Amino acid sequence: MRSVRLLLVAVLVAATIGLVEGPASADEARPVLDRVASRAGQHVVFKGRAKPRQVVRLQARGPSYWTTVGKDRASRKGAFRISVPYPDQPRTFRVVAGGKVSGTRKVVPVATSSLKPKPPAPSDTCGVRPERAEGGYYACTFRDDFDGTALDRSKWMVQETRISGMYGGSQGCYVDNDRTVGVSSGLLRLTSTILPEQFLCRSPYGSWMTNAEVSTVATRSMFTQAYGRFEARIKMPAESGIAGSHSAFWLYPQDQAYGRWPASGEVDIAEWFSGLPANVYPSVHYAGENTALSSGYSCRMPTSSTAFHDYAVEWTPSVMRFYYDGTLCYSHSWTPTGMSAPQPFDKPFYVVLTQVWGLGWNTRAAGMPDTSTLLVDWVKAWE
């Protein structure tokens, strides 16, 4: 009887173990996120298992939704590894693969006293080199501090409607003159202006009369780069709270390799609308994007018009991470229609700075002055 009882217990234990540890059916298999036990400097490394070659997305819980902060493809044996910056406050994480969700893991910041002293970050021509989320440091590839008395034309071109046919905002004419583009006191000034009289805005696709001048400068054909970190220190126009002014720091493809916009991609690092001045918006545009998910609607910056702030994107083959004043405020992994990631964000893009008059809900309102100016302290890029 005792031997029968022992045998029955053994069978029950084996069955229980099979239920907990054994392989699940293909329909029920969920990714597994291991207990967090790995740190790499100022980064935390998440490991786990999913179906072989499955795309695994690491998500962090926000106030009202989960945000993707990293991505990896599982190996042939199903293992994955994702590294992200160590959170400065307790955060809960999970992974999603094949539409299925893992259990959660909570990460609590480690007391600095328990960590070994970290050596200072190295420097180069851009200053202190930013640390990569994957480990190591970025290296400077572009820098302009606007220390002269004129725009450095070896680094920047000025958009002109008479050449490109492009216009900005409400039929604003891109022109290259002292009103629209200026450099002084270590700052680049881009200004949109309403003139007292109309003028002929010439375009190769048909000219028109307007009294609106707008401005854009870009590194097109002078500096382009795929992947890396792009950053600028900017003060938005002073006309905060009055609809009508629109400013942007963004990236655009050198060549339309995958077709006309948005197929070849666009990255808005910091887009600002004077009618909604308390937020600055990062966005990732591409064919098939879900616009509810491809923009960061919660990146608050209430003093965007009264103080300079740093706006940056870290562009990797799997995710765009946007940092405002050094804090991660939004990240996005793209799933384009008709192509496979990292397309279309696998080609060189150039840097753009824009100041125009607004459209639609942000059209110029009563009280908006005849000029609105974007101030740029510096622009840097690393790879």
Side-chain angles (χ1 to χ4, degrees):
M1 189 70 177
R2 183 173 183 273
S3 60
V4 173
R5 188 183 303 114
L6 290 174
L7 177 60
L8 180 58
V9 171
V11 170
L12 290 173
V13 170
T16 303
I17 291 174
L19 287 173
V20 175
E21 301 293 345
S25 67
D27 292 335
E28 296 174 349
R30 298 197 309 164
V32 175
L33 183 60
D34 292 343
R35 185 181 299 277
V36 180
S38 178
R39 292 197 309 273
Q42 297 299 309
H43 295 79
V44 58
V45 180
F46 293 88
K47 299 178 182 179
R49 301 174 301 286
K51 288 184 178 180
R53 308 305 297 162
Q54 200 169 46
V55 174
V56 181
R57 289 180 171 83
L58 177 69
Q59 296 184 333
R61 179 181 289 161
S64 57
Y65 54 86
W66 290 87
T67 301
T68 297
V69 295
K71 185 172 73 171
D72 189 24
R73 184 180 292 277
S75 69
R76 290 186 177 88
K77 293 184 178 180
F80 64 84
R81 180 182 186 276
I82 304 173
S83 173
V84 296
Y86 215 94
D88 58 3
Q89 58 185 347
R91 296 199 75 178
T92 300
F93 295 85
R94 71 181 186 185
V95 292
V96 179
K100 298 185 182 297
V101 180
S102 74
T104 61
R105 298 292 184 186
K106 189 173 184 179
V107 177
V108 178
V110 178
T112 55
S113 59
S114 66
L115 299 175
K116 293 182 179 179
K118 185 179 178 180
S123 298
D124 58 16
T125 54
C126 282
V128 177
R129 295 168 59 184
E131 188 174 4
R132 298 174 180 270
E134 298 77 14
Y137 293 91
Y138 285 105
C140 183
T141 54
F142 179 89
R143 175 176 182 170
D144 196 342
D145 293 315
F146 305 109
D147 286 337
T149 57
L151 187 70
D152 187 341
R153 302 295 175 122
S154 69
K155 295 179 178 178
W156 303 92
M157 58 153 283
V158 179
Q159 174 81 272
E160 294 185 84
T161 302
R162 68 180 181 85
I163 297 173
S164 68
M166 301 293 292
Y167 61 88
S170 305
Q171 298 292 305
C173 189
Y174 285 115
V175 293
D176 181 4
N177 61 32
D178 292 341
R179 284 188 299 271
T180 58
V181 181
V183 173
S184 62
S185 302
L187 298 174
L188 168 67
R189 291 171 167 81
L190 299 181
T191 302
S192 49
T193 304
I194 299 295
L195 299 176
E197 296 182 359
Q198 290 195 332
F199 63 96
L200 180 66
C201 183
R202 299 189 180 278
S203 166
Y205 308 113
S207 303
W208 71 91
M209 297 299 293
T210 183
N211 63 349
E213 290 183 334
V214 292
S215 56
T216 281
V217 297
T219 64
R220 177 177 171 82
S221 300
M222 301 177 190
F223 169 74
T224 63
Q225 183 173 296
Y227 311 128
R229 182 181 174 101
F230 302 80
E231 187 168 3
R233 185 165 177 79
I234 292 171
K235 183 179 179 182
M236 301 301 178
E239 291 71 45
S240 172
I242 308 172
S245 185
H246 182 189
S247 311
F249 166 41
W250 49 299
L251 307 177
Y252 201 70
Q254 175 70 23
D255 300 306
Q256 301 294 303
Y258 299 104
R260 298 181 63 182
W261 190 93
S264 293
E266 175 184 321
V267 182
D268 296 324
I269 303 172
E271 192 167 13
W272 181 83
F273 305 89
S274 62
L276 287 175
N279 282 39
V280 179
Y281 300 90
S283 299
V284 185
H285 297 303
Y286 52 93
E289 69 176 288
N290 181 340
T291 55
L293 301 175
S294 59
S295 293
Y297 295 103
S298 58
C299 292
R300 299 277 298 170
M301 193 59 73
T303 59
S304 59
S305 292
T306 57
F308 282 91
H309 296 280
D310 297 348
Y311 302 94
V313 63
E314 289 187 351
W315 166 13
T316 79
S318 60
V319 64
M320 301 275 184
R321 300 187 188 98
F322 296 87
Y323 295 86
Y324 287 3
D325 285 341
T327 299
L328 178 68
C329 75
Y330 171 69
S331 63
H332 183 71
S333 295
W334 54 99
T335 53
T337 298
M339 59 187 78
S340 299
Q343 297 172 334
F345 301 104
D346 60 344
K347 303 293 183 183
F349 280 47
Y350 57 87
V351 179
V352 193
L353 293 159
T354 290
Q355 175 58 45
V356 296
W357 295 115
L359 284 171
W361 63 267
N362 195 44
T363 298
R364 292 185 77 246
M368 172 60 67
D370 289 340
T371 63
S372 191
T373 299
L374 173 70
L375 299 177
V376 185
D377 188 6
W378 48 256
V379 177
K380 299 176 185 178
W382 299 264
E383 67 176 2

